[in-house]
Amino acid sequence: MKPVMTLHELQSFLTDEFPQVMGPDSGFTLDAVGDGSITMKLIAADRHLRPGGTVSGPTLFTLADVSAYVAILAHIGPVALAVTTNMSINFLIKPPPGTLVAKASILKLGKRLAVVEVAISGKADARTVCHAVATYSIPPER
Amino acid sequence: MKPVMTLHELQSFLTDEFPQVMGPDSGFTLDAVGDGSITMKLIAADRHLRPGGTVSGPTLFTLADVSAYVAILAHIGPVALAVTTNMSINFLIKPPPGTLVAKASILKLGKRLAVVEVAISGKADARTVCHAVATYSIPPER
Amino acid sequence: MKPVMTLHELQSFLTDEFPQVMGPDSGFTLDAVGDGSITMKLIAADRHLRPGGTVSGPTLFTLADVSAYVAILAHIGPVALAVTTNMSINFLIKPPPGTLVAKASILKLGKRLAVVEVAISGKADARTVCHAVATYSIPPER
Amino acid sequence: MKPVMTLHELQSFLTDEFPQVMGPDSGFTLDAVGDGSITMKLIAADRHLRPGGTVSGPTLFTLADVSAYVAILAHIGPVALAVTTNMSINFLIKPPPGTLVAKASILKLGKRLAVVEVAISGKADARTVCHAVATYSIPPER
């Protein structure tokens, strides 16, 4: 499965269209685009943390959702906006403080539905701290 | 299934222990405690909204998670902190602008695991806009 | 949400189209059709049981899937065959031996996707033993 | 993560303890044990099929559940019986007729909970047809 947008095209699109999620202060960066997958990073700021310094559940949810969305966008192009219909998310271990890495891999890219798996780990420690599988509805007009 | 904390006890505990989530500016309020269930409200502020004025996915996730957590707390008391291990969340229809109401109902309250269902609807319109089922691990020392 | 097929129409359709699942020896019966919901029963035979006499996981999955499917069928009619795309199923307590009752309630019935919640309990004991939420894709040609 | 049982030990244990699921007529075979994962095969018989010759949803559920269970067993030994508490299963594409291969990979193996991911594909075609993530409760007495 080949991407139809380059890393640079994706970065420009996301910064323009979703400044509040992907802007320079968001903490989210898109790092790599591959065949059927993308990799994002979250450099956690104070607002992403729980007391104790670990990344909060809603922040992990957001990172999983944004990563899966960007993986689909990279493979269908900026012509249609996929909408999250379901996410099943497992919180496996308490995330380490600091930067988190999310790898989103497309399991299915159909005409109407896409299913994406996301594994989130710490930067230095490859253990998966959070794992999600999400379904997106793709509008008919693409 | 009878609650072991009153509405007032829960409100005080949450405001003291989770000021960032349940403080006066959070938008979340706990409205009712029943047998096996609780009801919360989100008065959406700008930071909870997407362009267009609807409540964002991460905000719906947070409302579902907090509501399920409070339902468990109401029925086991403030002696142990349940930890979210899994949530499966369905985004059914675009939420209406304005206040959202979440009803969290306990499906199972075991010694080690609790499972809670949450239905979120608009204040004026009873249709469920978001539905979640979440599992929590209850620490052994309770 | 009003059903478009009667109990008798549904029973005839299911017996004709899915004899292996809904035939007289299947153990499954459709008991009631309501607004947005249906109720099925499983009279467990030996092949549905684990050692110890409780209904097996795959049988509970099948009961949840068939019930949700029939709920959709009852409300869109026998013109299109919905396909299961996702099920999140929670096994809450060991089911009691004997007859199980499944109530399937439609959470969303869109043009392309339907989401149905199913609660399964013992006949004599109203406690939910198994809870599932399933998503179905509805073909465009309906 | 190193397994604590060999392929042969697992095969003997499963044939003795679960003859109805893993006996010579079951269609299920355990093919490989690795670090944190196992691989099973289903040689589909008529009872596993829908009209049209594709493997049925309940059979895919059973294959996912058995594979995840065996992955845990391989890594904790036959001292405790893990119980399925949740499965989120995605049916991606219609499975090809014939043999299916399931790879179960452990995402988390805690004292109380294990989380396992299962990808099922056709023998000749590496595309994932069904993907599941399941949680198991591990009894305290292990």
Side-chain angles (χ1 to χ4, degrees):
Chain A
M1 196 183 299
K2 294 284 174 195
V4 299
M5 295 177 75
T6 64
L7 178 59
H8 184 73
E9 285 167 355
L10 282 163
Q11 285 167 333
S12 299
F13 178 82
L14 293 166
T15 309
D16 289 353
E17 298 293 320
F18 303 104
Q20 75 284 35
V21 179
M22 293 289 295
D25 296 333
S26 71
F28 292 106
T29 59
L30 176 62
D31 280 24
V33 180
D35 288 5
S37 71
I38 62 99
T39 305
M40 291 191 68
K41 214 178 271 166
L42 170 66
I43 300 157
D46 279 355
R47 69 184 179 286
H48 300 122
L49 303 181
R50 283 190 199 289
T54 61
V55 169
S56 72
T59 302
L60 290 168
F61 172 88
T62 305
L63 177 56
D65 191 29
V66 170
S67 301
Y69 177 84
V70 173
I72 296 169
L73 184 69
H75 289 81
I76 66 173
V79 288
L81 293 183
V83 176
T84 316
T85 60
N86 172 266
M87 188 186 291
S88 177
I89 184 166
N90 281 280
F91 300 97
L92 302 171
I93 50 176
K94 198 190 272 198
T99 299
L100 293 180
V101 178
K103 175 153 190 193
S105 306
I106 296 176
L107 292 172
K108 172 189 172 136
L109 183 56
K111 275 188 197 123
R112 309 204 305 164
L113 288 179
V115 181
V116 185
E117 174 188 5
V118 184
I120 299 175
S121 57
K123 198 187 173 185
D125 177 350
R127 287 190 302 168
T128 303
V129 298
C130 178
H131 183 274
V133 179
T135 302
Y136 293 78
S137 179
I138 300 173
E141 53 268 41
R142 80 158 158 143
Chain B
M1 195 182 303
K2 293 284 175 196
V4 299
M5 295 177 76
T6 65
L7 178 59
H8 183 74
E9 286 167 354
L10 281 162
Q11 286 166 335
S12 300
F13 177 83
L14 292 165
T15 310
D16 290 353
E17 299 292 321
F18 303 103
Q20 76 282 36
V21 179
M22 293 288 294
D25 297 332
S26 71
F28 293 106
T29 59
L30 175 63
D31 279 24
V33 180
D35 288 4
S37 71
I38 64 98
T39 305
M40 290 191 67
K41 213 178 275 166
L42 170 67
I43 300 156
D46 280 353
R47 69 183 178 285
H48 301 122
L49 303 181
R50 281 189 200 290
T54 62
V55 169
S56 71
T59 302
L60 290 168
F61 172 89
T62 305
L63 178 57
D65 191 31
V66 169
S67 301
Y69 177 85
V70 172
I72 297 170
L73 185 70
H75 290 80
I76 66 173
V79 288
L81 294 182
V83 176
T84 316
T85 60
N86 173 268
M87 186 187 292
S88 177
I89 184 165
N90 282 281
F91 300 97
L92 303 170
I93 48 176
K94 200 190 269 201
T99 299
L100 294 179
V101 178
K103 174 152 190 193
S105 306
I106 296 176
L107 292 172
K108 171 189 173 136
L109 184 55
K111 276 186 195 128
R112 309 205 303 165
L113 288 179
V115 181
V116 184
E117 175 187 4
V118 183
I120 299 174
S121 58
K123 199 185 172 184
D125 177 349
R127 286 189 305 167
T128 302
V129 298
C130 178
H131 183 273
V133 179
T135 302
Y136 293 78
S137 178
I138 300 172
E141 54 267 41
R142 75 162 163 143
Chain C
M1 199 183 300
K2 293 283 175 198
V4 299
M5 296 176 75
T6 66
L7 178 59
H8 184 72
E9 287 167 353
L10 282 164
Q11 286 167 333
S12 301
F13 177 83
L14 293 166
T15 310
D16 290 353
E17 299 291 320
F18 303 102
Q20 74 285 33
V21 179
M22 292 290 294
D25 297 333
S26 71
F28 292 105
T29 60
L30 176 62
D31 279 25
V33 179
D35 288 5
S37 70
I38 63 99
T39 305
M40 292 192 67
K41 214 178 272 168
L42 169 67
I43 300 155
D46 280 355
R47 69 183 178 287
H48 300 122
L49 303 180
R50 282 188 200 289
T54 60
V55 169
S56 71
T59 302
L60 290 168
F61 172 88
T62 305
L63 178 57
D65 191 30
V66 170
S67 302
Y69 177 84
V70 173
I72 296 169
L73 185 68
H75 290 80
I76 66 173
V79 286
L81 293 183
V83 175
T84 316
T85 60
N86 173 266
M87 187 187 290
S88 177
I89 184 166
N90 282 281
F91 301 97
L92 302 170
I93 50 177
K94 202 191 269 200
T99 299
L100 293 180
V101 178
K103 173 153 193 194
S105 307
I106 296 176
L107 291 172
K108 171 189 175 140
L109 184 55
K111 275 185 198 131
R112 310 205 303 164
L113 288 179
V115 181
V116 185
E117 175 187 6
V118 184
I120 300 175
S121 58
K123 199 185 171 183
D125 177 350
R127 284 189 304 167
T128 303
V129 299
C130 179
H131 183 273
V133 179
T135 302
Y136 293 79
S137 178
I138 300 172
E141 54 267 44
R142 73 160 165 144
Chain D
M1 197 185 298
K2 293 285 174 195
V4 300
M5 294 177 76
T6 65
L7 177 59
H8 183 73
E9 285 167 355
L10 281 163
Q11 286 168 334
S12 300
F13 177 83
L14 293 166
T15 310
D16 290 353
E17 298 292 322
F18 303 102
Q20 76 283 33
V21 179
M22 292 289 296
D25 298 332
S26 70
F28 291 106
T29 59
L30 176 62
D31 281 23
V33 180
D35 288 5
S37 70
I38 63 99
T39 307
M40 292 192 67
K41 214 178 272 166
L42 170 66
I43 299 156
D46 279 356
R47 70 184 177 286
H48 300 122
L49 303 180
R50 283 190 199 289
T54 61
V55 169
S56 71
T59 302
L60 290 169
F61 172 88
T62 306
L63 178 57
D65 191 30
V66 170
S67 301
Y69 177 85
V70 172
I72 297 169
L73 185 70
H75 289 82
I76 67 173
V79 288
L81 294 183
V83 176
T84 316
T85 60
N86 171 268
M87 187 186 292
S88 177
I89 183 166
N90 282 280
F91 301 97
L92 302 171
I93 50 177
K94 201 190 271 200
T99 298
L100 293 179
V101 178
K103 173 151 191 193
S105 306
I106 297 176
L107 291 172
K108 173 189 172 138
L109 184 55
K111 277 187 195 127
R112 310 204 302 166
L113 289 178
V115 181
V116 184
E117 175 187 5
V118 184
I120 300 176
S121 57
K123 200 188 173 183
D125 178 348
R127 285 190 303 167
T128 302
V129 299
C130 178
H131 183 273
V133 178
T135 302
Y136 293 79
S137 178
I138 300 172
E141 56 266 41
R142 77 159 159 146

